[in-house]
Amino acid sequence: FFSCLSSSVGAMPVGISRGYEPGRILLQLPISHIGNKHRNLSQNDSDPELRNASAALSEAVAELALNRGEAAVQLAREARDIFQETSEGRSDATRVLMVALTDVESRQEAIQLGEAALLALTPPDSDAAKRHRALVLQSLAEAAAFRCRGELRTKAVSWAEEAIAIQKDLGDKIMEGYANLAMASALIQKGVKAHQRKHYQRSIKALKLALELFAPSD
């Protein structure tokens, strides 16, 4: 099943954990596109300060790809501090920082960052605002799926469900698929911890739906 999933979405990271978390499966929205975007902006933006922020953010993504999470955290923080509160760059930096914090097991800080970002969002009255909210929800769901308390795993499912609803409303099948992967991850972990078959059954449905959404359209 997972080989089919990998071939459907290309380079998406899919892995099974070791040791005491036998049900941990990482199904995460890639951030490589953020790195590519900001690498280009670092060469073309007219504002030197924003060029520096984009350069730091693209380097953070590169460091994560090399499994250097601590360096990625520092670079993403630097970029986020430069970008204005409501800018797209700030949103990108928040996403990368949350992924980096989760990578170094600072999940609580990642979740606090995401919850604060969610509270700061204005009502989603445009497609761009809806996409921004869905991305924060996606990041929260991924961060809270593993090695967190039971109530946070429950929140992870709720965050993923809201992200799914937003992406479905926007008609973005790929992002809806990734939101389903986030929900499946949280449900799998809930099943491991609670030993309840219903969570596994829901996770399988979410994974199957993700496959359908990733399938090339005719």
Side-chain angles (χ1 to χ4, degrees):
F1 179 87
F2 290 107
S3 62
C4 293
L5 186 59
S6 296
S7 63
S8 296
V9 297
M12 183 205 70
V14 176
I16 300 178
S17 74
R18 60 193 179 278
Y20 60 90
E21 287 187 294
R24 179 180 175 180
I25 298 175
L26 177 61
L27 301 169
Q28 187 180 71
L29 172 66
I31 56 172
S32 54
H33 67 290
I34 295 177
N36 293 336
K37 178 174 78 174
H38 284 275
R39 184 169 60 249
N40 292 332
L41 288 172
S42 70
Q43 299 167 357
N44 299 317
D45 201 297
S46 59
D47 186 324
E49 193 172 36
L50 292 180
R51 283 203 304 270
N52 290 338
S54 286
L57 192 54
S58 65
E59 288 176 29
V61 175
E63 292 291 341
L64 271 174
L66 296 172
N67 295 317
R68 295 200 283 253
E70 295 289 353
V73 168
Q74 182 176 347
L75 287 162
R77 281 194 204 281
E78 292 174 7
R80 189 172 181 273
D81 287 343
I82 295 171
F83 286 121
Q84 293 182 0
E85 185 70 38
T86 58
S87 70
E88 186 176 343
R90 178 80 168 215
S91 173
D92 290 341
T94 298
R95 165 68 183 170
V96 174
L97 180 54
M98 289 181 69
V99 171
L101 287 167
T102 301
D103 185 71
V104 298
E105 299 299 340
S106 295
R107 295 178 183 278
Q108 195 59 46
E109 185 179 352
I111 292 166
Q112 289 172 352
L113 181 66
E115 289 183 318
L118 205 59
L119 286 173
L121 292 178
T122 57
D125 54 0
S126 67
D127 285 356
K130 290 177 182 177
R131 289 190 184 94
H132 187 177
R133 181 176 181 83
L135 188 60
V136 174
L137 290 163
Q138 175 94 25
S139 301
L140 279 165
E142 291 172 355
F146 305 112
R147 294 183 183 172
C148 290
R149 301 184 305 275
E151 62 268 25
L152 280 175
R153 288 194 295 273
T154 299
K155 278 189 173 183
V157 174
S158 297
W159 285 324
E161 285 175 332
E162 186 179 347
I164 290 168
I166 292 172
Q167 299 295 3
K168 189 171 185 177
D169 179 61
L170 291 169
D172 191 329
K173 290 187 176 182
I174 297 299
M175 294 301 291
E176 185 186 346
Y178 278 118
N180 271 280
L181 294 184
M183 185 166 76
S185 296
L187 287 167
I188 289 168
Q189 189 67 0
K190 278 176 70 69
V192 170
K193 298 298 184 182
H195 305 289
Q196 292 184 6
R197 184 181 178 188
K198 65 180 181 180
H199 298 312
Y200 290 116
Q201 291 173 327
R202 286 187 66 197
S203 71
I204 290 171
K205 291 173 79 171
L207 288 167
K208 286 181 177 178
L209 181 55
L211 270 179
E212 293 172 8
L213 290 163
F214 288 135
S217 57
D218 296 330

